[in-house]
Amino acid sequence: MRIVFMGTPDFAVAALEALHEAGHQIAGVYTRMDTPKNRGMKLLPPPVKVKALEYGIPVFQPKNLRGEDTQRQLRELEPEVIVVAAYGRLLPQAVLDIPRYGCLNIHASLLPKYRGASPINACILHGETEAGVTIMQMDAGLDTGDMLLPVRTEILPDESCGSLHDRLAVLGGQAIVKALDLLEKGALHGQPQPEGGATYAPMIQTADCKIDFTRSAREVSCAIRAYDPAPGAFSTLGGDKMKLFAASPEQDEGGCGMPGTILKADKKGIVVACGRGAVRIGMVQGAGGKKMPADAFFRGHAALLSEIFR
């Protein structure tokens, strides 16, 4: 099929790769603007742009899709369908109406749960045992269109958001190829989302990543893993901010002492008391430092073992 692809981050790259390998004609790729990053604030292209240029696909980076010139340019590409994966912008109705088959979105949750910007983080945060992607027909709402093809996967024990993200990206690529095959055969049928059970996963704020050790060990573990590797859960130890990674409930610790107390440190990390139970943390990143195994960090900062996470 003749496709226009819209996407920006690494999650979308897997779908672009899958569509290209499946032999679809990708007439153009729309992505967000290059952004300044790192200490030198050098402008860096989005991952999707890098992959599109590698394939020799024309790349377009409009500030938005509302302008008449942008919409005329999109019509001139004559897409049969627009495929969207983590583009980061809402599509106006005028754009939704351009392709013959409309616009299909690869959303990283089992709709209607976790509409919005951070569905993968939300799955981990809320202790879900199952995740997935939903190919959906886009409408003017935020992830409210008809469901076309859901694909499910088990969330592995103590899985991080980063690991689940990578698996769902691959599943999303496989799912959109299958969906387009069904679409060409006239066998792709939508199902309205039930309003019951609809939830939203909004854009993550810094305050969301602050760990509250008065909660249960399982809740603390889920919160740390939900923001691992980015933006990184954090707490304060000895007056300095510390990011926390690679968490799991500690089965051998009933939990004792004030929440936030470091109960022990060994080669597998540190064990920290929670409101109920205790959590093991395998990796940390001190203020201004690099991410490293917790045992290595605390060997060099042994005095902090007597401090309390606050």
Side-chain angles (χ1 to χ4, degrees):
M1 298 186 74
R2 186 172 174 85
I3 296 169
V4 162
F5 184 84
M6 296 182 176
T8 300
D10 287 323
F11 179 84
V13 171
L16 180 59
E17 290 175 332
L19 291 168
H20 181 267
E21 291 170 6
H24 288 284
Q25 183 184 2
I26 305 173
V29 165
Y30 282 69
T31 190
R32 298 287 291 272
M33 305 288 287
D34 295 5
T35 54
K37 292 183 179 179
N38 303 325
R39 292 183 179 178
M41 298 302 284
K42 180 181 178 181
L43 282 176
L44 295 178
V48 161
K49 179 180 179 179
V50 174
K51 181 57 65 174
L53 294 177
E54 179 185 320
Y55 289 150
I57 302 170
V59 174
F60 305 91
Q61 296 176 278
K63 290 184 179 180
N64 58 64
L65 298 173
R66 295 189 297 273
E68 290 184 8
D69 289 344
T70 296
Q71 293 177 10
R72 181 173 58 253
Q73 179 187 65
L74 187 52
R75 285 193 295 271
E76 289 172 353
L77 292 174
E78 299 182 334
E80 295 177 88
V81 63
I82 294 176
V83 173
V84 181
Y87 180 39
R89 295 195 188 283
L90 288 174
L91 275 58
Q93 189 64 49
V95 170
L96 295 173
D97 292 339
I98 288 174
R100 172 186 174 188
Y101 294 111
C103 302
L104 305 189
N105 183 39
I106 306 169
H107 185 72
S109 81
L110 296 171
L111 293 170
K113 270 193 171 183
Y114 306 128
R115 300 168 178 170
S118 59
I120 305 176
N121 308 83
C123 282
I124 300 289
L125 180 65
H126 295 289
E128 301 284 358
T129 59
E130 186 179 51
V133 296
T134 304
I135 307 300
M136 56 167 285
Q137 189 82 48
M138 297 182 71
D139 62 13
L142 178 60
D143 301 325
T144 56
D146 287 357
M147 302 177 294
L148 300 170
L149 181 66
V151 180
R152 300 172 180 273
T153 185
E154 179 186 3
I155 297 178
L156 304 176
D158 301 325
E159 184 164 32
S160 70
C161 180
S163 169
L164 183 59
H165 167 281
D166 293 347
R167 293 200 296 115
L168 291 181
V170 173
L171 283 179
Q174 295 169 347
I176 192 61
V177 169
K178 180 178 180 181
L180 293 181
D181 180 59
L182 292 171
L183 182 62
E184 287 185 290
K185 295 175 180 176
L188 188 66
H189 306 296
Q191 178 181 351
Q193 295 186 39
E195 283 305 314
T199 58
Y200 285 87
M203 189 172 294
I204 296 167
Q205 306 297 322
T206 299
D208 299 329
C209 304
K210 176 74 165 64
I211 294 301
D212 177 5
F213 282 98
T214 66
R215 303 182 73 87
S216 73
R218 190 61 191 168
E219 289 172 310
V220 170
S221 171
C222 287
I224 293 174
R225 291 183 293 110
Y227 306 118
D228 181 354
F234 69 91
S235 186
T236 301
L237 188 69
D240 292 324
K241 181 178 177 180
M242 177 176 287
K243 288 190 174 183
L244 311 170
F245 308 93
S248 60
E250 181 67 0
Q251 303 299 330
D252 296 334
E253 295 289 336
C256 56
M258 181 185 298
T261 301
I262 300 175
L263 302 176
K264 70 176 181 181
D266 56 31
K267 292 182 178 180
K268 293 188 282 186
I270 56 172
V271 176
V272 183
C274 300
R276 293 198 312 274
V279 65
R280 179 174 290 279
I281 299 168
M283 302 284 290
V284 300
Q285 183 177 357
K290 295 181 179 180
K291 182 178 176 180
M292 65 174 63
D295 67 315
F297 177 87
F298 283 98
R299 280 201 303 271
H301 301 81
L304 288 176
L305 291 171
S306 61
E307 298 284 346
I308 295 175
F309 281 105
R310 300 184 187 278

